[in-house]
Amino acid sequence: MPKQVLIRFERCVGCRSCQLACAVAHSEAKSLYGAVLNGEKPRARVFVHQAGEHKAPLNCRHCQDAPCIDACIAGAMHRKADDTVTNIGGEQYCTACWMCVMVCPYGAVRSDAAGTMAVKCDRECKDDQGVPACVRACPTGALVYAEVDAYSAGRRQGVLLQALGGV
Amino acid sequence: MHFVIIGNSAAGVAAVETLRRPGGGASEITVVAGEPETAYSRCLLPDVLAGRRAEASIRLRPADFYRRLGVTLFSGVRAVELQPGEKKVLLKDGRELTYDRLLLATGAAAVRPELPGVRADGVFVLRTMADARALSAVARRVTAAVVAGGGLVGLKAALALKLAGVAGVTVVVASPRLLIRQLDERAAAMVEGELKEFGVQFIYNAGVKEFITGTGGRASGWRQDGGRFSPGEHLSGHGPDGGRELPAGCLSGVVLDDSRELPAGLAVVAKGVRPETELAARAGGRVGRGIKVDEYLCTSLPDVFAAGDCIEVTDRLTGQPVNSALWTLAFEQGRFAAANMLGQRRAYPAPLTRLNSARFGAVDVISVGRLDGPEVFTLDDPLSRTYRRLVFDGDRLAGFILAGRVDGAGVYTALVKSGRPVKQHIRALLGGRTGEVAVSGLMAR
């Protein structure tokens, strides 16, 4: 069963460690200092938001019937064998038409710094134990990388659908 | 079980992928495609015209797609008749296919208004790979072009012609501004400004009345190049070669409603599309603003389903029947139709039928839902080149336009779709803090 990055909202303190780790993992240098010294401006693909008193990280949910795959006019957005939804590594490349940006209900697909392609969680950030950088970096355990059993998958889906209105 | 799919673009491809999902069973799938190419992205044809992309690079799926999924593909052959009684489809080449369940994903065709000269050499539409190919060949030899229509296709074609090296590109727009069905004045002005930077010219409140050919006339708007005429160089028609004759039937210009003449060696008619409903209609299927389907995307004919630009859908916001005609919708309908062909009974929810994203130069625009409504809020920040227009109907977001920065657009789209009351988040939404609103929705469970 494919693993998912799950969020335990009540544990998030809004430290943005996940955001920083994500950006660093997606930099050429693969280290914070290296990226800064190289003048890189890598983009994070997980975002910590403040909603009322709560803070919460939000990233791509790799949806089952992913609207971003439906919307991609280039055929770049696709699902890999491990269930990851990504616009890189396929036969076609992203054309920056922002159709995926228009339909992602989580706002989890964004443009790169230059505005030349869409970037999103691609899980190309896992360490030697197969743990994504955002999860590894989270000091409070708000992010968990785990298999989702059918029950909680249903529950999670239900919650998200309810919250965002059946998308 | 033998599934036959007529059509090989977004809806057809999505249907094939869905039919081949785990649990889809060992069915036989045959795809009939009128065009000779394997599935490609229509939306990217302007990039081919502009010379930015090769034909193969706008292929929608890898070349081995059909073989890998065990699909028999008949390409370059049209289906000419549907016999729902016998469950048969007749192809142009005389072949007959028998189906258990059929999907009509026949798409739409570009409208060519019946104007004098509309069939002349040099008058094009931009809908198929063949159109793009033909246009590219002529674009290399012309220096003046006219585009009739200020919609998405017209503007993309105009910019592409400019990038392909056509010196003078004029867009003739019937409305007082461009993209009237997608944008408000401010956003349209941003797009216009950007296109003008590229040198595209606009004539508003005008229409093309006639396409004139060079028969016996002056080579108005054509360039002489190695003994061959190339339309467009002598915009005045009085250059050194202005007196030479054009080959008969070749476009030399267009006449506008007010009798103004514009020299042009090439014209693109971008006046929208009409759904390809003929196959269904002649077989006795019900047709409105497209092939009529029920909530399971089944037509009025037994075991005949339909999806994509060829169908009529009910707009989620207005409840009005409209032609589908959007890439995203075609794809999701292909998925839903296929699930229903497999007997899974998945009802297709009424879609948003304004759902556009486009990029013109460095200006990105996204337009979803209603353009106008009881309450409209806008934010215009020229410094960051950001414009947001939010249309509220009571507590609900009914539509929006984003121009410039478009990050987070999907959150607005989800809100328009769901109708969740979000008036209390107006500041965050106007300020682009969409994550805040998305998370607040998750928290409110």
Side-chain angles (χ1 to χ4, degrees):
Chain A
M1 186 169 293
K3 285 185 171 181
Q4 299 284 355
V5 175
L6 303 176
I7 309 162
R8 290 192 279 197
F9 290 112
E10 71 283 2
R11 291 199 178 200
C12 179
V13 293
C15 69
R16 296 182 191 266
S17 298
C18 54
Q19 219 163 314
L20 191 60
C22 176
V24 168
H26 286 93
S27 69
E28 294 282 328
K30 305 288 180 204
S31 79
L32 180 57
Y33 296 117
V36 170
L37 289 173
N38 285 354
E40 281 189 67
K41 285 185 179 162
R43 291 262 197 167
R45 293 121 198 264
V46 55
F47 309 96
V48 178
H49 303 293
Q50 175 102 31
E53 293 172 2
H54 302 281
K55 297 176 174 70
L58 203 54
N59 67 352
C60 171
R61 313 314 301 153
H62 301 273
C63 307
Q64 205 52 52
D65 284 327
C68 57
I69 299 180
D70 280 356
C72 182
I73 59 170
M77 195 69 80
H78 65 286
R79 186 183 301 278
K80 294 200 299 187
D82 69 355
D83 225 30
T84 304
V85 176
T86 179
N87 62 341
I88 56 163
E91 194 194 59
Q92 299 301 0
Y93 57 91
C94 174
T95 65
C97 71
W98 314 133
M99 293 284 278
C100 51
V101 174
M102 176 176 72
V103 298
C104 175
Y106 308 108
V109 193
R110 303 200 173 188
S111 63
D112 65 351
T116 51
M117 72 175 287
V119 294
K120 67 181 290 300
C121 170
D122 53 13
R123 298 213 183 118
E124 298 288 326
C125 60
K126 291 188 220 163
D127 62 15
D128 46 14
Q129 288 164 342
V131 179
C134 57
V135 176
R136 176 65 72 207
C138 181
T140 64
L143 292 173
V144 184
Y145 192 52
E147 287 185 4
V148 186
D149 64 46
Y151 168 72
S152 59
R155 181 173 162 272
R156 184 177 61 108
Q157 196 69 7
V159 167
L160 292 173
L161 288 180
Q162 197 185 350
L164 289 157
V167 178
Chain B
M1 185 74 88
H2 185 200
F3 296 116
V4 174
I5 300 171
I6 316 279
N8 188 30
S9 193
V13 166
V16 166
E17 286 177 344
T18 307
L19 291 172
R20 282 290 185 247
R21 273 190 186 179
S27 54
E28 193 186 335
I29 302 177
T30 305
V31 173
V32 180
E35 293 180 60
E37 298 83 10
T38 55
Y40 61 88
S41 172
R42 272 183 215 298
C43 314
L44 294 178
L45 288 173
D47 286 359
V48 173
L49 172 57
R52 287 177 157 189
R53 274 171 170 265
E55 285 186 18
S57 80
I58 70 162
R59 197 159 53 200
L60 200 54
R61 290 293 180 267
D64 66 348
F65 175 76
Y66 304 92
R67 189 180 46 77
R68 193 166 42 82
L69 294 185
V71 172
T72 308
L73 173 69
F74 292 131
S75 59
V77 52
R78 293 183 70 86
V80 289
E81 195 183 328
L82 166 59
Q83 299 176 342
E86 289 76 46
K87 292 199 163 184
K88 266 186 195 167
V89 178
L90 311 189
L91 307 189
K92 184 85 185 280
D93 61 5
R95 250 182 299 210
E96 282 186 17
L97 295 174
T98 309
Y99 62 83
D100 292 304
R101 285 185 188 139
L102 177 73
L103 177 65
L104 296 173
T106 43
V111 170
R112 255 184 207 258
E114 281 308 320
L115 295 169
V118 76
R119 305 277 159 201
D121 278 352
V123 181
F124 297 92
V125 293
L126 182 52
R127 178 73 189 170
T128 64
M129 188 71 91
D131 293 334
R133 218 175 275 147
L135 254 170
S136 295
V138 177
R140 257 182 268 131
R141 299 187 288 124
V142 309
T143 55
V146 167
V147 175
L152 286 165
V153 173
L155 297 183
K156 284 185 179 180
L159 182 55
L161 286 168
K162 200 70 209 176
L163 295 172
V166 180
V169 178
T170 306
V171 183
V172 179
V173 189
S175 327
R177 64 165 195 269
L178 44 80
L179 293 169
I180 195 128
R181 291 182 58 195
Q182 283 84 22
L183 301 183
D184 65 349
E185 265 175 53
R186 176 74 190 106
M190 287 171 77
V191 173
E192 187 201 69
E194 185 71 8
L195 289 173
K196 278 185 170 167
E197 290 279 309
F198 282 90
V200 177
Q201 294 173 301
F202 297 93
I203 298 177
Y204 292 101
N205 302 306
V208 172
K209 181 166 78 172
E210 188 184 347
F211 298 91
I212 45 178
T213 54
T215 324
R218 293 161 82 85
S220 168
W222 285 68
R223 178 180 69 195
Q224 194 185 8
D225 189 67
R228 294 168 64 190
F229 280 110
S230 295
E233 190 166 66
H234 308 305
L235 294 181
S236 65
H238 297 291
D241 305 311
R244 286 186 58 138
E245 288 184 8
L246 281 169
C250 259
L251 188 75
S252 65
V254 304
V255 184
L256 303 186
D257 296 331
D258 60 7
S259 298
R260 248 184 302 176
E261 279 187 33
L262 301 177
L266 177 166
V268 179
V269 180
K271 289 295 196 181
V273 295
R274 64 172 172 72
E276 292 274 23
T277 57
E278 214 182 306
L279 215 51
R282 278 196 285 118
R286 290 179 61 215
V287 171
R289 290 170 189 271
I291 300 169
K292 281 193 183 275
V293 291
D294 64 14
E295 61 182 323
Y296 301 103
L297 299 178
C298 193
T299 67
S300 60
L301 304 168
D303 291 318
V304 179
F305 295 76
D309 290 3
C310 61
I311 72 167
E312 172 187 292
V313 292
T314 306
D315 181 83
R316 187 180 188 86
L317 300 174
T318 64
Q320 295 297 311
V322 289
N323 178 218
S324 186
L326 285 174
W327 181 267
T328 317
L329 301 191
F331 228 94
E332 64 182 24
Q333 288 160 10
R335 277 200 291 107
F336 274 86
N340 286 306
M341 289 164 80
L342 289 168
Q344 295 168 1
R345 298 289 281 173
R346 283 190 68 193
Y348 178 62
L352 295 174
T353 59
R354 185 180 288 108
L355 199 64
N356 296 106
S357 172
R359 153 169 272 202
F360 297 99
V363 173
D364 298 314
V365 287
I366 289 184
S367 158
V368 175
R370 286 166 64 175
L371 296 183
D372 234 315
E375 266 190 295
V376 175
F377 301 87
T378 59
L379 175 137
D380 192 356
D381 180 7
L383 270 182
S384 64
R385 296 226 298 174
T386 301
Y387 176 69
R388 297 191 185 95
R389 177 191 176 93
L390 306 180
V391 177
F392 274 86
D393 185 356
D395 278 348
R396 302 167 145 211
L397 184 65
F400 70 91
I401 294 169
L402 304 182
R405 287 186 50 192
V406 299
D407 277 349
V411 174
Y412 301 94
T413 305
L415 294 173
V416 175
K417 254 186 172 175
S418 71
R420 177 187 145 203
V422 281
K423 194 67 171 292
Q424 75 271 27
H425 296 297
I426 179 79
R427 280 188 161 185
L429 289 171
L430 213 46
R433 299 193 306 279
T434 49
E436 189 178 315
V437 184
V439 168
S440 77
L442 294 173
M443 295 294 182
R445 67 182 189 261

